[in-house]
Amino acid sequence: MSEITRRGFVKGAVLAPLAFSPLTAEARPAAGPGDRYDIVVAGAGHNSLITAAYLAKAGFRCLVLEGHAIIGGGVKTEELTLPGFKHDTCSTAHNGILGNPLMRNDELKLRDYGLEYISPDPIMHMPFADGSYITQWADLERTAAEFAKFSKKDGEAYERMYHESEAAKDLLGGDQFAPPGTGKSLNDRLAANPMGKFWQRRLAMSQWEVVRENFESDHCRAFLMATPWSMQPPQYPMTGRSAYSAIRTAPRKIAKGGSGMLSQAIARFIEAHNGVILTNKSVARLIIENGKCIGVECADGSSYRGDKAVLSTMHIKHLVEMAPRELWPQDFLYGVDTWEEEVSEVVTHYATKEPPKYPIKGGTISPAESAILASPERLLRFAYDDACGVSNIDEPPISIFCSTVADPSRAPAGMHTLKILGFHPYSLKEGPAHWDAIKNQVSEAQLNYFRGFSPNLTDDKILGRFVMSPLDLERKNPSFWHGSIHGGSSDPSQSGTMRPMAGWSQYRMPIPGLYQTGACTFPGGSVTGAPGRNAAMVMLKDFGTSLEEVVNKT
């Protein structure tokens, strides 16, 4: 691209809330009036797409209905600021899904459909107000040396906990990629393992307790608590496993071309296997006949029927409103009524001339991902601020993504995309609507705090920006209920077999013929693809086959 001026780019830049320009949606085959489908899928988030892909490979004809112009839900890439700048609307790093047999065993050959991953190194960087910093590398010893700058004990603890986590990987992760109730429970596996008692204790502790017990430097503690943060207050019981989430050598991989390339690749697979995907088709109602769900009706009046089943990826808060309330059992309704949100975020997307440049010894560093946390105690405040409905912009903890450092294809030549997100409650004491009044102020506070660590990103380096509050997130995607990008809180009452509620964690919904997948279902949260693959496993079994047979099908 030739030399470009800020004025030229900013002219016509996005300023109105949610008035964004999406990437051009791929042309998709239309559904004929007489077409018949085995499965109708309500919503095209990445989990429902994964389920539909396995069903399509099995030979079932699938119709996927998406209310937006672009598929993907939280796994989507759009031109939110200016033409040519491809921003990840929500998710960016896809670590969790790479351990899924879907990817690990290449079950759907998604590389053949355009999916490619990049492995940024350094993995993560955190600068501190005193000029010091920690940079995390794919090399374990190199990262341990970063910790040892602050405390020899902490450098040793980092290596020790890395090996603890690696040794327990199969023990602790064995139930994620299978529906609840299949195979031994985690408690049974722990009881039979020599390190079981150790992990029983660790898993019951809080993240803060584990970090505080093993590390003495506040700098090291801050890094481990916020890179990334699990969006659950770190002093909550049973968050101890999160203390290990920042201890890694595996890069936090990103999809070449944007997070949405994962969704697009799965969609191409579905269409290559006789499936149909329709966009701008918002599902408004479930069609019930003789007590069974046999199809859906869209907001535009069109209706579609599935001969075998309907699969929903709607948030459960909305799903129960799509059928008469008396069809849902009281225990299910109680679970829906008491479902709680997670900590949300104010996220600002920028089109920039430069990446962040953090001062380090001998120069600067520009990582694809970084985070800033003033102190461990600052993160502990979230539980209080969330309960009080307060958006606290004093030294705001923030996460920063500049994927174009590793993937230049996401922006015009020499330019960059930047995402800065800070964590805030949806339910302000003044009411959620107050976000419209304060979101720009909060976004600006986050930017100003960030500039204290990356001073190069002055106003003349910013070409365009797009701000989303927790309320905007919900407006943009109803499945982000109350701004919850992971489907809701992951406290003990909404985790494991309690997700979405006790007795209903196996993807079969109370109404016969209706199945549910997505972030509200087990295991929930992040981009793991586990709910999608697990739902496919359950549905295929109900239809008289197995996922293993389907995967091995040529």
Side-chain angles (χ1 to χ4, degrees):
M1 173 173 281
S2 58
E3 178 65 24
I4 207 156
T5 66
R6 182 174 184 268
R7 178 180 296 176
F9 253 116
V10 172
K11 184 180 180 181
V14 178
L15 295 175
L18 302 184
F20 61 91
S21 171
L23 292 172
T24 302
E26 293 192 4
R28 305 236 178 251
D35 285 359
R36 296 183 65 87
Y37 301 96
D38 297 304
I39 318 292
V40 172
V41 182
H46 80 287
N47 279 304
S48 57
L49 290 171
I50 288 170
T51 307
Y54 283 106
L55 294 170
K57 182 173 173 60
F60 298 107
R61 190 157 196 237
C62 297
L63 170 66
V64 182
L65 303 170
E66 169 55 41
H68 295 85
I70 301 177
I71 62 169
V75 184
K76 184 185 296 184
T77 301
E78 301 173 275
E79 292 180 341
L80 296 173
T81 56
L82 299 166
F85 289 85
K86 301 174 185 178
H87 302 272
D88 292 335
T89 313
C90 184
S91 74
T92 294
H94 289 183
N95 265 39
I97 199 169
L98 298 175
N100 190 323
L102 160 71
M103 302 298 294
R104 189 179 69 234
N105 300 334
D106 199 20
E107 291 179 340
L108 297 181
K109 313 291 183 194
L110 292 181
R111 283 190 291 270
D112 295 345
Y113 296 88
L115 182 61
E116 181 181 344
Y117 278 102
I118 295 169
S119 301
D121 190 20
I123 301 171
M124 188 75 68
H125 180 78
M126 179 176 283
F128 300 102
D130 61 6
S132 62
Y133 55 88
I134 292 176
T135 307
Q136 184 180 51
W137 304 89
D139 183 292
L140 175 62
E141 291 184 3
R142 190 175 183 184
T143 304
E146 291 281 305
F147 277 68
K149 291 187 305 187
F150 302 95
S151 162
K152 180 181 178 183
K153 173 190 172 184
D154 289 0
E156 293 169 349
Y158 186 90
E159 288 200 64
R160 184 186 72 251
M161 289 181 66
Y162 170 80
H163 292 300
E164 287 174 359
S165 180
E166 285 296 295
K169 187 181 295 185
D170 292 338
L171 172 67
L172 300 180
D175 57 352
Q176 185 178 18
F177 299 115
T182 56
K184 290 184 177 180
S185 69
L186 176 59
N187 283 337
D188 288 341
R189 296 198 306 275
L190 290 173
N193 190 281
M195 290 295 292
K197 290 183 175 59
F198 170 85
W199 283 108
Q200 282 178 326
R201 179 70 171 178
R202 279 285 166 96
L203 298 177
M205 294 169 71
S206 71
Q207 178 187 12
W208 172 233
E209 287 172 325
V210 175
V211 170
R212 184 181 59 192
E213 173 189 301
N214 288 276
F215 296 87
E216 61 185 10
S217 163
D218 275 352
H219 293 78
C220 297
R221 289 172 173 178
F223 183 94
L224 292 169
M225 291 169 67
T227 58
W229 184 39
S230 66
M231 302 183 80
Q232 295 295 306
Q235 66 268 51
Y236 278 15
M238 301 187 75
T239 56
R241 192 167 176 178
S242 295
Y244 289 83
S245 62
I247 299 175
R248 64 174 78 87
T249 56
R252 285 170 54 80
K253 295 194 176 185
I254 59 174
K256 185 177 182 180
S259 182
M261 291 301 292
L262 170 63
S263 301
Q264 293 293 341
I266 303 168
R268 294 184 194 116
F269 181 97
I270 293 168
E271 291 169 341
H273 289 77
N274 202 32
V276 174
I277 298 173
L278 300 181
T279 55
N280 297 312
K281 286 286 184 179
S282 179
V283 172
R285 188 174 70 88
L286 302 177
I287 300 173
I288 311 295
E289 289 185 1
N290 299 318
K292 182 180 180 181
C293 185
I294 54 91
V296 301
E297 183 179 304
C298 295
D300 63 6
S302 59
S303 61
Y304 302 90
R305 296 184 174 223
D307 291 342
K308 298 193 75 68
V310 171
L311 172 67
S312 165
T313 191
M314 306 291 181
H315 195 286
I316 55 171
K317 288 281 191 179
H318 304 304
L319 183 66
V320 295
E321 302 301 324
M322 295 182 179
R325 200 162 177 89
E326 62 267 20
L327 296 180
W328 307 99
Q330 284 303 309
D331 61 346
F332 189 87
L333 290 174
Y334 175 74
V336 173
D337 291 343
T338 56
W339 188 261
E340 295 186 350
E341 67 219 51
E342 65 196 69
V343 174
S344 189
E345 58 191 39
V346 171
V347 55
T348 309
H349 299 271
Y350 298 92
T352 70
K353 290 182 178 181
E354 293 181 1
K357 295 180 180 179
Y358 300 107
I360 61 171
K361 184 178 180 180
T364 62
I365 190 171
S366 295
E369 189 171 353
S370 50
I372 301 171
L373 176 61
S375 68
E377 290 76 20
R378 181 61 183 84
L379 204 57
L380 296 174
R381 281 189 57 89
F382 269 104
Y384 179 79
D385 291 339
D386 194 53
C388 294
V390 173
S391 174
N392 189 336
I393 55 175
D394 178 33
E395 296 185 320
I398 54 176
S399 292
I400 305 102
F401 298 87
C402 187
S403 298
T404 42
V405 168
D407 181 11
S409 72
R410 298 178 181 220
M415 303 295 165
H416 292 272
T417 61
L418 179 67
K419 177 165 64 173
I420 298 178
L421 58 91
F423 309 99
H424 304 270
Y426 170 91
S427 300
L428 296 174
K429 61 182 179 181
E430 300 91 346
H434 189 57
W435 272 115
D436 289 339
I438 68 169
K439 70 175 184 180
N440 289 325
Q441 173 191 348
V442 173
S443 171
E444 195 68 20
Q446 292 177 174
L447 175 62
N448 288 336
Y449 184 62
F450 163 73
R451 281 172 167 164
F453 301 89
S454 178
N456 67 300
L457 282 174
T458 49
D459 281 347
D460 62 305
K461 304 293 176 53
I462 295 177
L463 304 169
R465 73 185 70 197
F466 182 82
V467 182
M468 283 192 288
S469 70
L471 182 58
D472 290 330
L473 288 168
E474 182 179 50
R475 288 167 173 159
K476 183 165 174 54
N477 186 341
S479 288
F480 294 162
W481 180 78
H482 283 199
S484 293
I485 61 172
H486 295 138
S489 171
S490 295
D491 63 30
S493 69
Q494 293 183 185
S495 296
T497 56
M498 302 289 285
R499 197 171 185 95
M501 62 278 303
W504 302 104
S505 62
Q506 288 199 320
Y507 312 99
R508 302 179 185 93
M509 290 290 95
I511 300 175
L514 178 65
Y515 295 81
Q516 175 78 3
T517 189
C520 284
T521 54
F522 173 86
S526 196
V527 183
T528 67
R533 186 176 182 274
N534 292 349
M537 202 178 302
V538 170
M539 294 178 74
L540 289 167
K541 181 179 179 181
D542 289 353
F543 301 159
T545 185
S546 70
L547 187 138
E548 184 178 14
E549 290 178 73
V550 171
V551 168
N552 293 329
K553 180 180 176 182
T554 57

